[in-house]
Amino acid sequence: MGNSVHILTPVRKGGPWKWGATLAEHLNKRGHWRAVHIHALPKVLLSPVYQGCDIVHTAIPVTHRLWRKPVVLTIRGDYRRDNNVWSGMYPTAVKMADVVTVSSQFMKDELGIVDAVVIPPAVDVCPLTPSTSLRTGLSLSRKGRGEYSEKESRIRLLTVTNFHFPEKAKGVLKIVNALSALKSMNLQITLSILGDGQYRKNVAEEIEKLGVPVQFHGFTDPKPFLQSSDIFVYWSDHDNTPIALLEAMSYGLPVVTNAVGAVPEMVRDGETGLVAGNEKDYKDKISMLLSDAALRDKLGQAVRADVIQRFSHDVITPQYEAIYQKLI
């Protein structure tokens, strides 16, 4: 390895922390850069004073520095909506950075950062499993696709969300309302909901009135659910690039979502998933997907291939490396 990069993230584990840890892992795996994830509080506090590296890549809005190193600032969401110690520091940090990256064209336009570089989020592409292969028609040695048991004939829907945010909690209600309106189709469906937070109890009480078969699983490992589900449903009234949606796409799950934030950049309506413009459109698109197994197979294959081509770490990590290379 030659040059080195320090990746600064908040101390608390969460989206930025995971992004920094994962980026450092894949940079080191590729071997062109030595990457260190800086997140321990003492080192984060000392970071404006000293950096023993060639490039500083930060998800923290550093507003001053005593070292002369090129700085890349990555903004992962709309900081104007955050109520934390960092939110007011971003405008100065943007001016100070040598390069600013954002995760979508939507966010670039929203924040008005004309020179920002758009680099989408990256996701691990799951290996093929028997269940993934059967669902999407992808090649893997296994019994024929028609050999489902009666129990497996149910259409299994999945959503993953964070009930700490009212926009996402209300989105779950909109999903269930759409399913409730489709009862006349007499389909055998189940909906698994992963996630927790302060609004979950209220949502659960509202859902109980609708009579839709729903199972809440709280915060748990989503992988078994992603492997065994047939459709991923998503709705949020505010979002940028929802990682839960991207992970579902990586498993070859056909998705139905609303056109929030950068979702239309992630999912091409009718080609790699279904993107609804309003609640009626959402209901119609869920109905279409529930009643058409061939369409589910087609979209599942297309979306997995699209994730490999546009959102895999093998595609995204070199985009950061190209920025570093220009700065040294």
Side-chain angles (χ1 to χ4, degrees):
M1 293 189 188
N3 296 305
S4 62
V5 55
H6 283 183
I7 301 171
L8 309 183
T9 71
V11 176
R12 187 175 64 179
K13 291 188 177 181
W17 188 99
K18 184 177 180 181
W19 165 83
T22 304
L23 178 58
E25 174 190 349
H26 285 274
L27 285 168
N28 287 324
K29 188 180 297 184
R30 286 173 56 82
H32 305 302
W33 288 79
R34 288 181 290 109
V36 179
H37 178 203
I38 305 293
H39 58 90
L41 184 58
K43 292 184 177 180
V44 170
L45 293 175
L46 286 172
S47 63
V49 179
Y50 171 76
Q51 282 295 331
C53 59
D54 298 295
I55 300 286
V56 176
H57 190 169
T58 179
I60 299 172
V62 179
T63 56
H64 66 281
R65 66 197 197 206
L66 299 180
W67 26 260
R68 295 188 178 185
K69 305 291 181 183
V71 173
V72 179
L73 171 66
T74 288
I75 301 176
R76 293 181 45 79
D78 191 343
Y79 57 80
R80 300 169 302 181
R81 296 176 62 93
D82 295 335
N83 184 22
N84 58 44
V85 67
W86 308 113
S87 55
M89 300 166 65
Y90 274 97
T92 302
V94 167
K95 294 177 182 177
M96 185 210 72
D98 295 284
V99 176
V100 176
T101 78
V102 292
S103 59
S104 66
Q105 184 64 43
F106 165 79
M107 189 52 58
K108 178 177 179 176
D109 295 339
E110 280 287 297
L111 297 176
I113 307 175
V114 177
D115 297 329
V117 179
V118 176
I119 299 182
V123 68
D124 290 314
V125 180
C126 74
L128 288 178
T129 65
S131 55
T132 305
S133 177
L134 286 170
R135 185 182 62 236
T136 63
L138 295 167
S139 175
L140 188 68
S141 179
R142 166 80 183 227
K143 62 181 182 178
R145 293 183 63 222
E147 298 179 48
Y148 284 102
S149 68
E150 183 177 347
K151 182 178 180 181
E152 288 175 321
S153 68
R154 286 180 175 269
I155 303 175
R156 296 153 298 188
L157 283 72
L158 172 68
T159 192
V160 180
T161 196
N162 190 330
F163 286 97
H164 286 296
F165 300 99
E167 301 94 338
K168 294 178 182 290
K170 291 175 183 176
V172 173
L173 278 177
K174 291 180 180 181
I175 292 169
V176 178
N177 276 320
L179 295 175
S180 179
L182 298 174
K183 287 180 182 178
S184 60
M185 295 177 68
N186 293 320
L187 291 170
Q188 297 294 312
I189 65 170
T190 60
L191 172 62
S192 294
I193 302 175
L194 274 59
D196 210 340
Q198 60 182 317
Y199 298 105
R200 173 180 158 177
K201 182 179 178 181
N202 292 340
V203 169
E205 290 173 352
E206 291 296 318
I207 287 176
E208 192 173 356
K209 302 173 186 177
L210 298 173
V212 174
V214 168
Q215 294 179 327
F216 286 89
H217 298 275
F219 285 123
T220 188
D221 183 2
K223 291 181 181 178
F225 295 90
L226 291 166
Q227 290 171 344
S228 62
S229 297
D230 301 296
I231 300 172
F232 189 83
V233 287
Y234 189 80
W235 185 295
S236 178
D237 289 328
H238 174 76
D239 224 321
N240 176 27
T241 51
I243 299 302
L245 182 64
L246 189 57
E247 289 179 342
M249 293 160 60
S250 76
Y251 277 78
L253 273 173
V255 300
V256 186
T257 177
N258 66 317
V260 63
V263 165
E265 298 175 44
M266 300 168 64
V267 184
R268 293 192 289 270
D269 184 38
E271 296 180 27
T272 60
L274 300 180
V275 183
N278 53 52
E279 291 180 58
K280 182 183 182 304
D281 189 25
Y282 191 83
K283 182 196 73 173
D284 292 343
K285 286 182 170 172
I286 286 185
S287 173
M288 183 193 313
L289 206 53
L290 287 172
S291 59
D292 192 338
L295 179 60
R296 296 198 296 270
D297 288 345
K298 175 186 173 184
L299 293 178
Q301 293 183 57
V303 75
R304 192 175 191 278
D306 194 51
V307 167
I308 292 171
Q309 293 173 5
R310 295 203 294 147
F311 301 106
S312 65
H313 289 288
D314 287 343
V315 171
I316 299 301
T317 304
Q319 295 179 41
Y320 287 116
E321 291 178 331
I323 290 175
Y324 303 158
Q325 194 62 39
K326 289 179 180 180
L327 291 175
I328 58 174

